[in-house]
């Protein structure tokens, strides 16, 4: 299983709130996108996971995030997803967001 | 089957875009909410529809909307959903949005 | 400032993913909704906050959640929002989700 | 002003509903994304529009869509956005969705 996968996101107008910055629940949507990408990059794309293991969605146990730099429409965000702790039944993924070289969330 | 059902929505901060008004795809989300309410008000709640007819979601054929008054956070919107044309395989619903007495969309 | 505010959410069809349960980023959207409610219940509704302090949105510093019970369309969720640690420049809010008496997230 | 711009969208897990297909309001989100792309392709990117004309968001007057082929997670959709009727104060854009060669919406 690959250890890191990279996802690129462009912040869209509709992802932002009246303050003009990313409405933060969207960061969690992008974490989900990055999670599927991580499995695909590990040779386990969504369709394969469903066929082989009957997996429909990952039961999420915990999510946490720290927000540092606000992101605005048209910003390009890079998410580096890496494997954290791997236990018998659970798996921890870490998503690091970068915006033009700065840590975004 | 009842002919009109009413749904009330409060516009939230996260429903609005950097212009400070409702990001318009959300109106379609609320139309969907109002559709389920309409069926529930007709004695066909979601769970009943699934059990009795094995329905999972309605295949939508057409959607259209006209936007008149921009809506902002904390606005209360009322959606009046009524039955339009009923054909053998299709059913037309009309959703009228009102905001404090003014037509919103 | 009141110490606890309660928000009720009905899980809608469109809030759920192909596994039939709430797509988890929506929980964070509801936390945001509950946050505005908390301030309104404390006598500081959104419009007041904007006028008095020129506040547009709250800069979020950290978010975290633990997901216990999956929620499905038409579930009613109650969010109890309470004040955690209050510092000079930051304020911690805790959102507890309940579904028919069970802790949902 | 260029007459057609193309946007590519990958359908994500979280874009789909319990029926396993795209929750239709998301198509309107993608129309919005495609609209900004159209202006950028015409040499009028978002930031330029804001600076030059003080534009924050486009007031949408009408939206309509016909849904033909359901789309599922990991589908690649191509949106061809073209200029329809251009009037003094309004402008009509047409978004055609394609999925692997089939018309999606």
């Amino acid at each position: 299983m690959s250890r890191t996968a990279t996802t690129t996101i462009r912040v869209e107008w509709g992802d932002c709130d009246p303050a003009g910055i990313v409405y933060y629940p969207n960061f969690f949507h992008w974490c989900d996108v990055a999670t599927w990408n991580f499995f695909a990059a590990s040779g386990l794309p969504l369709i394969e996971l469903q066929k082989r293991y009957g997996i429909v969605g990952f039961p999420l146990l915990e999510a946490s995030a720290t927000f540092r730099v606000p992101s605005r429409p048209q910003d390009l965000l890079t998410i580096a997803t890496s494997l954290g702790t791997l236990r018998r039944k659970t798996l921890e993924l870490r998503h690091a967001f970068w915006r033009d070289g700065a840590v975004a969330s």
Side-chain angles (χ1 to χ4, degrees), chain A:
Chain A
M1 190 178 272
S2 90
R3 294 276 146 168
T4 306
T6 298
T7 301
T8 305
I9 296 288
R10 196 181 63 172
V11 176
E12 301 292 349
W13 173 263
D15 298 326
C16 296
D17 66 16
I21 59 174
V22 168
Y23 182 57
Y24 78 90
N26 288 318
F27 282 111
F28 294 95
H29 170 56
W30 297 326
C31 286
D32 197 71
V33 171
T35 298
W36 292 107
N37 278 352
F38 176 82
F39 284 103
S42 308
L44 290 167
L46 175 51
I47 290 160
E48 202 59 32
L49 283 168
Q50 290 175 336
K51 275 192 199 150
R52 225 194 284 182
Y53 306 106
I55 285 173
V56 271
F58 304 110
L60 186 78
L61 296 181
E62 284 189 24
S64 69
T66 310
F67 298 90
R68 293 193 192 87
V69 184
S71 302
R72 296 172 191 285
Q74 309 307 318
D75 280 354
L76 279 179
L77 305 181
T78 304
I79 314 173
T81 302
S82 57
L83 195 57
T85 319
L86 185 64
R87 292 208 192 75
R88 251 170 35 101
K89 288 193 172 171
T90 62
L91 174 148
E92 189 191 294
L93 291 182
R94 290 196 187 128
H95 306 284
F97 283 73
W98 301 87
R99 193 199 67 199
D100 307 330
V103 180
S105 125

